[in-house]
Amino acid sequence: MNKRAVVTGIGVVSPLGIGHQDFWKNLVSGNSGIAPMECLDLSKYECKNGAEVKGLNPEEFLGRKGLRYLNKGTKFLGSSVKMALDDANLEIDEELSNQTGILIGSSLGNFSQTTDYFHDIVRENPSELSPMQSYDVALNSSINYASVVFKIKNFARTISSGFTSSTDAIGNALKLIQNGKADVIIAGGVEQISLDLYMIFYMRKMLAGANGTGSEISMPFDKRRNGFIMSEGSYVFVMEDYDHALSRGARIYGEVSGYGSIFAGNRSSDIGKRVEKALNAMKKCTNDAGISPDDIDLINANGNSGKLSDLIEAKAIKELFGEESENVPVHTVKSALGESYGASGAMQTASALLSINDGLIPPTINYEENDPECNLNIVGERLEKEVNTVLINSFDLSGNNSCLIVKKHE
Amino acid sequence: MPRIVITGLGLVIANGIGVKNAWDALMNGKDGTAELKSFDTSQYKVHRACEVKDFKLDTVFKNETTANTIHKYTYTAAKEALKDSGLSDITGYDRERFGIAVGTLAGELPPFEYLLRKAPEDKANGFDMGVALTYPPSSITTLLSEDFGFEGPNMISLNACSSGNHAIAWAFDLLYEGKVDVMLVGGGELIPQTEFTHFHNLKALAPEKCQPFDKNRKGLVIGEGAGIMVMETLDFASKRNANIYAELKGYGMSCDGHHMTAPHPEGAGAIKAMSNALSAAKITYEDVDYINAHGTGTPLNDIMETLAIKSVFKERAKEIPVSSIKSMIGHTMGAASAIESVVSCLAIKNGAIPPTIHYETPDPECDLDYVPNEGREINVNYVLNNSFAFGGNNVTNIFSRL
């Protein structure tokens, strides 16, 4: 019999607030974290909106020592890990440190600071640059930092699989706990907005408001949707072996019970195939959780306002649920938070766990005009409803389709 | 209990391209170190590296930027490994049960370095990163999936110098749980100037050559290349009568939780990774015939690793041969442990172990049998393969004769 993985702590650094309490309060109130971006000079470009993290004081969580050497993403991750551990009321002592791992998904990590460093290499005499300039520039250095600061000694692993990175990290953590490889895993995702990242989406005309369409709004599944909004943040969970959590009397937010991942080759223009692969990923995930689609009472959708990706997801959901797809509620937090790429799956997981705990479904804001091709039961207004089992969809632009099942623990 | 076996291998390394060439070069102690050619090193104190030489790709990239990607190495090694395992064509199999996992430290960087060298001002002005084929890092596995038609789980392991072994460990679990039938796994790396500078300014680079465990060792030599293997369940391999190199018995992970760049001085994390690997493999320290060392040639690593081996292998420590192929192919960073895993399988299959070259002066603090300068023919039943990374991120795996 496999062990079970429950979540006992949530740490959030998000455009809707620092800490899961503010994040949730703003999310269920229908507030938006999207505004013109301040961290980048976008005067030359037409797409200016983004969902930036504001008001984080990393000193509060990490102390002052060494802070000046840390990059944005490392501060995000370190702060959210501290919050999650405090929330779980977990002290990592010598004994527990050997049973605790960290498993984080990030599509790019500190990539932007890495190219900044290279920029210095090109312009200056590289052999004279201080080693401290490259202290925090590896793509996984934020995870290394967290393992050192929080004395995590079982393992440290960083997964990069594009937009599904943190979904895959949480799925991998589930398996490692099920197989008894660790009692506690700090799992989640981190991502930061940078000009490097902006440019790739901008050049590919994937951002909302590209192509001269004007409105820079995240409108998932809405007929007017015209691309996604970039987002940043860090969302981490204390995932724990159920018996371990019980024995220390921990509060339990919910259980992560299933994971499935399929590669689709999304660069292909074969939409039918992409729908099939998204559907198969959902099926793989429900099978892994040992449930049927009928057991799902909420879908936390990938829906990021992308013209084609939302359509593909809607078609796949309809195929999975058949006629029932008119009833099962679907919402997406990306209407308020944007697309946080490698951190998105973890962002969605935070919302799913809080929905289960509070019996509340946050609204998909900006949802006004029904798209007959995406005809789902979209939750447009905040909804009070008991939630037991949530399907989380996480689809990458270039191929990975990964899903999670998060449910109320029994 | 499912057993996991290795049925295909592929190598692209500084002293040889293709498994046969590379193995002959390793056994003959051929040094792949030479003047570094891919960028100008005149402003540095070190000018040498282990670059892949005379490489020809059997597919054509559209432009120079995309030709600067690690895809050229991972693709070539993957193609060799798939051909070797008899899985070049997977028509008729359930593609969703064929997955890919590749480790890299900074494999996505060189194309951007290429672009920024040409036009540094683009960094501040914004430039089209989309022209770089391997962006973001997950594109490395995306490209392989598309090339070979694999539709199962797909990920990049970004775990610095233990990236390859992390990818292999992840694949092992997926196979063990029965989620997949076949995993194409390994690691790939090019030499980014960024990492060269990073190591150079940390004074971790040796000026001339890499001399693991030697008293006068001066650091690592940076390297590049790819090592890819085909892993599958024994059931699946038997059904299709595949040739089997070795069995992956298990892996052990640990994290020092100690320092961003320095290893734990007594090797606490390394000891734990090796011990965990032995228990996972259900063997004891008495069973291991050969240790494929992390052996970077830096003063700190080699002492730490020696201490850790002594702690785990007790009275047997001095009788087990320990060698580091980094003396010949350099430290290939994210690819290193994957390349070393391929070499571990070859040691079992060929009944021979490669030497640690440039071994001249014994170090009283490193007093094990490092297989100095000459390869050896010995019967190898169990190999332990170490990888330790910055951040104290350690993964050890154990291969055995089936």
Side-chain angles (χ1 to χ4, degrees), chain A residues 44-45 98 107-108 111-112 114-119 121-122 124-127 129 131 134-135 139-141 144-145 147-148 151-162 172 175-176 179 181 195-197 199-200 203 261-263 265 267 273 277 280 284 288 398 400, chain B residues 43-44 96-97 108-109 112-113 116-117 120 123-130 135-139 142-143 145-146 150-160 166 169-170 173 177 179 193-194 197-198 200-202 251 253-260 272 390-391 393:
Chain A
K44 285 185 291 183
Y45 307 108
N98 287 318
S107 73
L108 279 174
F111 179 80
S112 171
T114 309
T115 55
D116 284 346
Y117 177 60
F118 184 73
H119 195 215
I121 289 173
V122 174
E124 297 166 33
N125 182 344
S127 62
L129 297 175
S134 53
Y135 178 75
L139 269 66
N140 70 330
S141 59
N144 287 345
Y145 170 80
S147 76
V148 171
K151 307 257 173 286
I152 293 165
K153 297 188 178 173
N154 191 327
F155 70 89
R157 178 180 282 176
T158 307
I159 287 181
S160 176
S161 45
N172 191 196
K175 296 299 158 195
L176 291 171
N179 297 334
K181 296 262 168 72
L195 185 61
D196 290 353
L197 193 73
M199 289 314 297
I200 191 163
M203 291 287 190
S261 181
I262 301 273
F263 180 82
R267 288 176 204 195
K273 185 182 171 189
K277 295 300 168 189
N280 289 357
K284 217 157 228 200
D288 187 52
S398 60
N400 263 1
Chain B
Q43 288 184 298
Y44 298 87
E96 292 181 3
R97 293 180 60 81
E108 74 298 335
L109 270 180
F112 298 109
E113 294 185 346
L116 287 172
R117 243 178 240 127
K123 171 65 186 164
N125 294 339
F127 60 101
D128 184 3
M129 312 234 306
Y135 172 89
S138 51
S139 305
T142 300
L143 287 163
S145 295
E146 286 171 353
F150 282 32
E151 295 178 350
N154 181 298
M155 77 97 157
I156 279 285
S157 150
L158 285 181
N159 297 283
H166 261 292
W170 185 74
D173 286 344
E177 290 155 14
K179 301 289 178 196
Q193 191 179 350
T194 308
T197 310
H198 183 54
H200 179 272
N201 294 2
L202 282 169
Y251 67 87
M253 300 193 284
S254 75
C255 182
D256 286 1
H258 170 70
H259 190 272
M260 291 284 269
K272 194 133 58 75
F390 273 2
N393 194 331

Side-chain angles (χ1 to χ4, degrees), chain A residues 157-198:
Chain A
R157 178 180 282 176
T158 307
I159 287 181
S160 176
S161 45
F163 283 31
T164 65
S165 299
S166 57
T167 317
D168 295 330
I170 294 167
N172 191 196
L174 163 66
K175 296 299 158 195
L176 291 171
I177 288 178
Q178 280 181 338
N179 297 334
K181 296 262 168 72
D183 288 337
V184 177
I185 299 180
I186 314 293
V190 60
E191 212 79 66
Q192 51 175 316
I193 288 175
S194 67
L195 185 61
D196 290 353
L197 193 73
Y198 175 86

